[in-house]
Amino acid sequence: MSLTVHTEQRGDVVVVSVAGELDMATAPQLQDQITDLLDKGRSRLVFDLADVSFCDSTGLSVFVRAKNGCDEAGGVVRLAAPQRGVLRILEVSGLVEVLHTYPTVEQAVAGAPAPASS
């Protein structure tokens, strides 16, 4: 399966909508998009994961690298609306808190004070 990535500026936050399977074959595509955003000074990123059906460790590493890059630039990374399987991978890996995971894109963009996982 392929991966699609779309970006949308919302105030000072860029919402990166990702759809498909995020794995070894598709992760470089997302990484390239993130690198481009960081190169353009965009360091406040929300990843909309509502349409990501699968994410392996390669995909997780893309989010960790994005967080590190955004942290260095004084920004932030938040994840929004992961499907149950993706949320479970984030929970098991311990990344659900590190990557500030929210149930909706709107809450992630707003930076709601209480990230939620289930």
Side-chain angles (χ1 to χ4, degrees):
M1 182 173 202
S2 65
L3 188 76
T4 59
V5 181
H6 298 285
T7 61
E8 174 190 350
Q9 190 77 38
R10 292 195 195 177
D12 65 345
V13 174
V14 177
V15 176
V16 182
S17 298
V18 185
E21 294 183 358
L22 187 53
D23 57 22
M24 187 185 306
T26 60
Q29 177 184 348
L30 180 57
Q31 184 63 57
D32 289 346
Q33 184 71 43
I34 294 165
T35 300
D36 185 54
L37 289 167
L38 288 171
D39 287 347
K40 291 178 179 174
R42 306 287 189 239
S43 62
R44 296 178 53 79
L45 307 179
V46 168
F47 291 93
D48 179 357
L49 305 180
D51 294 323
V52 174
S53 57
F54 175 79
C55 180
D56 69 5
S57 61
T58 311
L60 293 179
S61 70
V62 170
F63 295 127
V64 171
R65 284 195 299 276
K67 181 189 184 322
N68 292 340
C70 288
D71 285 352
E72 288 175 14
V76 66
V77 166
R78 298 181 185 121
L79 305 182
Q83 293 184 22
R84 182 181 299 187
V86 174
L87 180 60
R88 183 71 183 133
I89 291 167
L90 290 164
E91 289 171 339
V92 168
S93 67
L95 292 175
V96 73
E97 289 86 15
V98 173
L99 293 172
H100 303 294
T101 305
Y102 294 81
T104 69
V105 171
E106 291 73 23
Q107 287 173 312
V109 169
S117 62
S118 55

